[in-house]
């Protein structure tokens, strides 16, 4: 069921930017765009051109800047005027993509749109048909059924809605988990059923938000039921809790044997730069990019790390720091949770070899200091000093 090719479509410049306290300037958008090009993502959504003049200019500028062959998408609501404005901006790309969004869930239809399901179908048909009439036969049109993940109550209708979009000219169907409400497999099963229904009539894409912290897991699993494109964002940026994280998604797929075109060595420097540009710090425990993710303090873990630190596969490491462009390395630190192996490892890193029979005594002294002083970490320098004062060093 898994597609032969998995496309990574980045939405940072649209979904990520719109959620910032201070949206990016044109120069900043150009910088982010260039970072995405360096990462070698498969496609980029550059903005929401019809929303304001700033977005229009930025989208047009980036469309002109794009390399040949990379899909450059602009988002539009299902409105003829906005679709025309979007096309005016993105038509300069070598491979423009029109992206139209309209709600499909029962809740949204009844409480937001306040129209009938038949009117929703008509709206989708008219907007996609209009888009096809102005972009021509060869340009991709992506249709997103907003709140697809909340469409459990009217799932039969959503099939009809997406079929109407395809019949009108859409060749990519995007299935958004606009608000994450349920466990991943609920959404994944919905995607599977929709993929089975659509077949080869259109490509299937997913766009998941992270309200419950499961967006990446949900998106990755969707690949294995037929999703051919995953929409992601740098640093997981996006509305509320953000979007599917590009780095986590790419590494997860890579670890599971999937071949992606992503330049993995650009991940860490890109993440650091995006944090600087947004003022949103990277959590020290954030997967892939957190400062603390290669640190080991538990005695059991430290023993395994010390024995496998030079190997491609680490006992307690998914990937090597350099694989994602980091210049740090696995570290072992000593706290009152650490074991004898931590001391031996840290001292040997400094060229200090303590006889095995003395390690236990040094361990007890270091642990006593840590416990006495509010369980603080004992530095490598302190361990060297302890070894020189109390031990026989070879």
């Amino acid at each position: 069921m898994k597609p032969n090719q998995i496309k990574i479509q980045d939405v940072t410049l649209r979904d990520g930017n719109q959620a910032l306290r201070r949206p990016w300037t044109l120069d900043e958008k150009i910088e982010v765009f260039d970072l995405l090009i360096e990462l070698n993502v498969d496609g980029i959504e550059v903005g929401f051109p019809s929303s304001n003049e700033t977005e229009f200019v930025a989208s047009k500028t980036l469309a002109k800047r794009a390399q040949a062959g990379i899909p450059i998408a602009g988002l539009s609501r299902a409105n003829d005027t906005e679709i025309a404005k979007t096309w005016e901006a993105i038509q300069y790309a070598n491979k423009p993509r029109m992206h139209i969004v309209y709600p499909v869930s029962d809740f949204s239809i009844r409480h937001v749109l306040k129209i009938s399901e038949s009117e929703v179908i008509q709206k989708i048909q008219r907007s996609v048909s209009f888009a096809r009439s102005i972009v021509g036969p060869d340009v991709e049109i992506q249709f997103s059924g907003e709140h697809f993940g909340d469409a459990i109550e009217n799932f039969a209708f959503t099939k009809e809605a997406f079929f109407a979009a395809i019949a009108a000219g859409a060749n990519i169907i995007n299935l958004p988990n606009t608000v994450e409400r349920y466990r991943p497999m609920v959404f994944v099963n919905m995607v599977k059923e929709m993929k089975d229904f659509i077949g080869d009539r259109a490509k299937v894409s997913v766009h998941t938000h992270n309200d419950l912290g499961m967006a990446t897991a949900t998106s990755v699993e969707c690949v294995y039921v037929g999703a051919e494109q995953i929409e992601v964002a740098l640093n997981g940026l996006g509305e509320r809790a953000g979007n599917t994280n590009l780095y986590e998604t790419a590494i997860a797929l890579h670890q599971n044997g999937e071949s992606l075109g992503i330049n993995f060595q650009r991940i860490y420097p890109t993440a650091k730069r995006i944090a600087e540009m947004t003022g949103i710090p990277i959590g020290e425990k954030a997967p892939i990019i957190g400062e603390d993710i290669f640190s080991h303090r538990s005695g059991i873990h430290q023993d395994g790390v010390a024995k496998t630190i030079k190997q491609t596969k680490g006992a307690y490491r998914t990937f090597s720091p350099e694989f994602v462009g980091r210049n740090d390395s696995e570290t072992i630190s000593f706290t009152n949770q650490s074991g004898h192996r931590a001391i031996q490892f840290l001292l040997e890193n400094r060229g200090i070899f303590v006889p095995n029979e003395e390690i236990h005594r040094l361990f007890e002294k270091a642990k006593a200091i840590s416990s006495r002083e509010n369980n603080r970490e004992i530095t490598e320098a302190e361990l060297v000093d302890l070894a020189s004062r109390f031990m026989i060093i070879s």
Side-chain angles (χ1 to χ4, degrees):
M1 189 67 179
K2 179 178 68 68
N4 293 326
Q5 287 187 312
I6 303 162
K7 299 297 185 181
I8 301 297
Q9 175 82 359
D10 188 90
V11 298
T12 307
L13 286 164
R14 196 273 302 171
D15 207 336
N17 180 66
Q18 72 186 33
L20 297 178
R21 295 179 187 275
R22 184 192 67 79
W24 286 314
T25 64
L26 175 58
D27 285 344
E28 288 171 324
K29 276 202 162 191
I30 290 172
E31 182 177 353
V32 174
F33 183 86
D34 289 348
L35 289 171
L36 289 166
I37 295 299
E38 290 178 9
L39 272 169
N40 201 37
V41 297
D42 296 300
I44 302 172
E45 187 160 272
V46 292
F48 191 170
S50 64
S51 61
N52 57 64
E53 187 62 19
T54 299
E55 277 289 287
F56 176 82
V57 171
S59 298
K60 183 177 179 179
T61 301
L62 296 176
K64 289 182 175 181
R65 191 179 185 86
Q67 297 172 324
I70 182 169
I72 299 297
L75 182 73
S76 175
R77 293 181 296 185
N79 174 288
D80 289 2
T81 301
E82 294 185 17
I83 290 169
K85 189 73 172 178
T86 299
W87 178 242
E88 186 181 345
I90 66 167
Q91 64 179 310
Y92 297 97
N94 173 262
K95 191 175 182 181
R97 176 185 291 175
M98 178 66 68
H99 184 187
I100 300 169
V101 60
Y102 201 68
V104 296
S105 75
D106 179 68
F107 183 88
S108 294
I109 293 169
R110 288 191 294 113
H111 297 288
V112 180
L113 298 178
K114 297 182 178 181
I115 61 177
S116 67
E117 288 185 342
S118 62
E119 289 175 296
V120 171
I121 296 293
Q122 291 170 15
K123 186 75 169 178
I124 293 170
Q125 289 173 327
R126 284 199 302 267
S127 62
V128 176
S129 294
F130 174 74
R132 180 54 72 197
S133 72
I134 64 171
V135 305
D138 301 323
V139 170
E140 292 178 324
I141 296 177
Q142 175 171 309
F143 174 76
S144 287
E146 188 183 17
H147 290 290
F148 168 78
D150 201 28
I152 295 174
E153 295 90 347
N154 64 330
F155 198 73
F157 168 76
T158 65
K159 291 181 178 179
E160 184 182 349
F162 287 120
F163 182 79
I166 294 169
N171 38 30
I172 301 172
I173 293 300
N174 191 43
L175 308 176
N177 210 6
T178 310
V179 179
E180 187 174 50
R181 304 185 193 275
Y182 309 110
R183 62 188 178 89
M185 288 311 296
V186 171
F187 183 81
V188 172
N189 287 334
M190 292 171 71
V191 171
K192 182 181 185 305
E193 187 170 343
M194 190 59 67
K195 173 62 180 176
D196 291 343
F197 172 73
I198 292 172
D200 295 329
R201 289 178 288 192
K203 296 177 182 178
V204 169
S205 169
V206 294
H207 174 113
T208 71
H209 279 263
N210 202 38
D211 299 271
L212 300 179
M214 301 183 291
T216 296
T218 302
S219 290
V220 169
E221 287 306 312
C222 285
V223 166
Y224 295 93
V225 295
E228 297 162 86
Q229 174 179 282
I230 301 179
E231 297 200 342
V232 299
L234 300 174
N235 293 35
L237 296 176
E239 295 283 7
R240 306 180 309 280
N243 286 289
T244 301
N245 186 294
L246 184 152
Y247 322 125
E248 297 170 15
T249 302
I251 293 291
L253 289 169
H254 172 79
Q255 286 296 125
N256 284 278
E258 307 305 337
S259 179
L260 302 177
I262 295 295
N263 181 355
F264 291 97
Q265 283 69 48
R266 290 298 306 162
I267 283 179
Y268 188 66
T270 299
K272 296 288 283 186
R273 182 58 186 143
I274 293 298
E276 291 171 358
M277 294 178 70
T278 60
I280 301 172
I282 297 170
E284 67 174 27
K285 295 293 186 182
I288 318 299
I289 57 176
E291 292 302 315
D292 207 42
I293 66 167
F294 292 108
S295 299
H296 307 279
R297 300 184 180 92
S298 158
I300 294 174
H301 287 207
Q302 289 169 338
D303 181 63
V305 169
K307 292 173 178 175
T308 62
I309 198 164
K310 301 294 185 182
Q311 297 181 21
T312 302
K313 181 177 181 179
Y316 295 97
R317 167 174 47 79
T318 303
F319 55 91
S320 62
E322 59 270 18
F323 182 68
V324 294
R326 300 178 66 138
N327 57 14
D328 52 354
S329 59
E330 285 189 280
T331 61
I332 288 178
S333 305
F334 188 88
T335 70
N336 70 354
Q337 301 298 304
S338 302
H340 297 68
R341 191 72 176 90
I343 292 179
Q344 186 178 33
F345 179 86
L346 290 168
L347 291 177
E348 288 180 358
N349 272 354
R350 296 284 289 266
I352 298 171
F353 298 90
V354 176
N356 288 335
E357 61 270 17
E358 297 293 336
I359 286 289
H360 181 71
R361 193 154 63 94
L362 184 56
F363 169 79
E364 292 298 335
K365 287 184 178 295
K367 183 158 281 196
I369 294 171
S370 175
S371 297
R372 185 170 65 246
E373 299 180 15
N374 201 31
N375 297 335
R376 72 173 178 85
E377 182 178 312
I378 304 299
T379 67
E380 187 175 289
E382 287 178 293
L383 290 171
V384 170
D385 181 62
L386 284 173
S388 64
R389 286 193 288 129
F390 297 110
M391 301 295 137
I392 300 171
I393 302 173
S394 59

